[in-house]
Amino acid sequence: MRYSYKSVWQRIRFSHAVLILTFALLSVGGGHMPNCIQSEISSFSFHRVAWADELSEDDIQWFRNEMKISPKFQEYKEGVWGMSWAHFITMVFLIVFFIATLVAMYIRNKQTKKILKALLKEE
């Protein structure tokens, strides 16, 4: 395989882009890096991003007050597993119909095999 001047520079640009993307993703990743990478780039400062599970109820309430979010648009825990009753019942029906469809397909395949066996036996 021959390398031309253009292909070498394309490879260098591609590796440079991958390197920049790697460092960008690691800096956003909350400081979770392998030790070998941490030792190599210890001079960089990585800032931890505030994740949703780290927010307290006071922070959320402050945000709602600052943004003037009406209580009618706020989340309320109700129903089963945090779902509304209508959503839960809909999901139950979907699961039941899916299982019923699988059973119907199994029965249909079983009867088809039975009919084919009978047809082949007649010949």
Side-chain angles (χ1 to χ4, degrees), residues 7 16 18 24 29-30 32 38 53 68 79 83 86 90 92 102 106 110:
S7 68
H16 187 67
V18 168
H32 303 290
Q38 281 181 350
D53 59 348
K68 295 177 178 52
M83 295 183 277
T90 304
V92 167
L102 290 177
Y106 174 75
K110 194 173 176 181

Side-chain angles (χ1 to χ4, degrees), residues 30-104:
H32 303 290
M33 291 184 284
N35 289 335
C36 61
I37 295 175
Q38 281 181 350
S39 63
E40 291 295 324
I41 53 176
S42 59
S43 62
F44 291 102
S45 63
F46 292 99
H47 303 287
R48 187 174 175 94
V49 176
W51 299 100
D53 59 348
E54 295 175 358
L55 295 175
S56 68
E57 187 60 39
D58 295 335
D59 295 333
I60 294 171
Q61 193 57 45
W62 174 85
F63 178 78
R64 288 176 181 158
N65 292 339
E66 287 295 313
M67 297 301 292
K68 295 177 178 52
I69 297 175
S70 173
K72 70 179 181 179
F73 297 116
Q74 293 181 13
E75 218 176 291
Y76 294 106
K77 301 285 183 192
E78 62 180 43
V80 181
W81 296 319
M83 295 183 277
S84 68
W85 282 103
H87 185 101
F88 178 73
I89 291 171
T90 304
M91 291 299 113
V92 167
F93 279 123
L94 282 173
I95 292 169
V96 167
F97 285 129
F98 177 72
I99 292 172
T101 303
L102 290 177
V103 169

